[in-house]
Amino acid sequence: GRGRIPPGSGVEPALEDALAWLAAHQGDDGSWDGDGFSRRCGRVGATTCGGPGSAAHDVGLTALALLAFLGDGHTSEQGAYREVVARALLWLRDAQDPDSGLIGARSSRDFLYDHALATLALCEAYYFSGSPRLQRPAQRAVNVILQARNPYGAWRYDLPPVGDSDTSVTGWMVFALASAKEAGLVGDFDAAFVGALGFLDEVSDPAAGASATRPSASSR
């Protein structure tokens, strides 16, 4: 949910430490570097972090980190981490293609995951601030998601779509569109939700309730 975790929940110290770690590992350009974040470890102590990720997913990582700050009530205008949020938002806006609206490059097969996460972060930031500077990039990112949806269906990894759908990327797309709708952006959201639910029904076992990640029947 949106907003800070209620006081007295017992997780405040862990949350504060986690946000401090994220802030310390943010790059000077405002992003979080998947394979180079350990270069920032000197800012928080002598211990060097392990587990580098992929350089292809800096957009998605930056979006997830930004969502953590937004979820605790920090925006570009208020909160102890407002500068962290402002720099991350600027980096995501600059990462958006000026022609297509896609956030990030097609540098991996599953680049639409990164775009979905970045769209969600922009929509959440716009929901909190109402800033005109965020409205246009958020709307253009939403338009890409709608263009990537299979007609009467859901999403997979292709833009334009080729007919296949996938449960996990569809989940992120629906999450981003739900945020966009609440933020007052425009699009045929209801049709997208109906298509996504229809796909999930199609790939679900009615007895077990489990979903399988596989192409939809209509695409085979």
Side-chain angles (χ1 to χ4, degrees), residues 65-109:
L66 177 56
L67 285 165
F69 290 102
L70 293 171
D72 193 45
H74 303 277
T75 72
S76 57
E77 288 83 26
Q78 65 182 21
Y81 292 111
R82 57 186 176 275
E83 292 185 7
V84 170
V85 172
R87 289 193 294 123
L89 284 170
L90 181 60
W91 187 86
L92 284 178
R93 285 169 51 199
D94 288 346
Q96 188 173 49
D97 184 274
D99 297 319
S100 69
L102 180 70
I103 303 175
R106 299 179 184 232
S107 54
S108 71
R109 177 174 176 267

Side-chain angles (χ1 to χ4, degrees), residues 8-73:
S9 62
V11 302
E12 293 97 329
L15 175 61
E16 291 172 3
D17 288 345
L19 292 179
W21 187 95
L22 285 172
H25 287 80
Q26 185 184 30
D28 291 335
D29 62 358
S31 72
W32 278 266
D33 190 342
D35 62 341
F37 67 90
S38 61
R39 291 193 294 267
R40 315 294 297 179
C41 291
R43 301 176 65 186
V44 289
T47 302
T48 299
C49 300
S54 169
H57 297 297
D58 289 355
V59 165
L61 290 172
T62 299
L64 285 170
L66 177 56
L67 285 165
F69 290 102
L70 293 171
D72 193 45

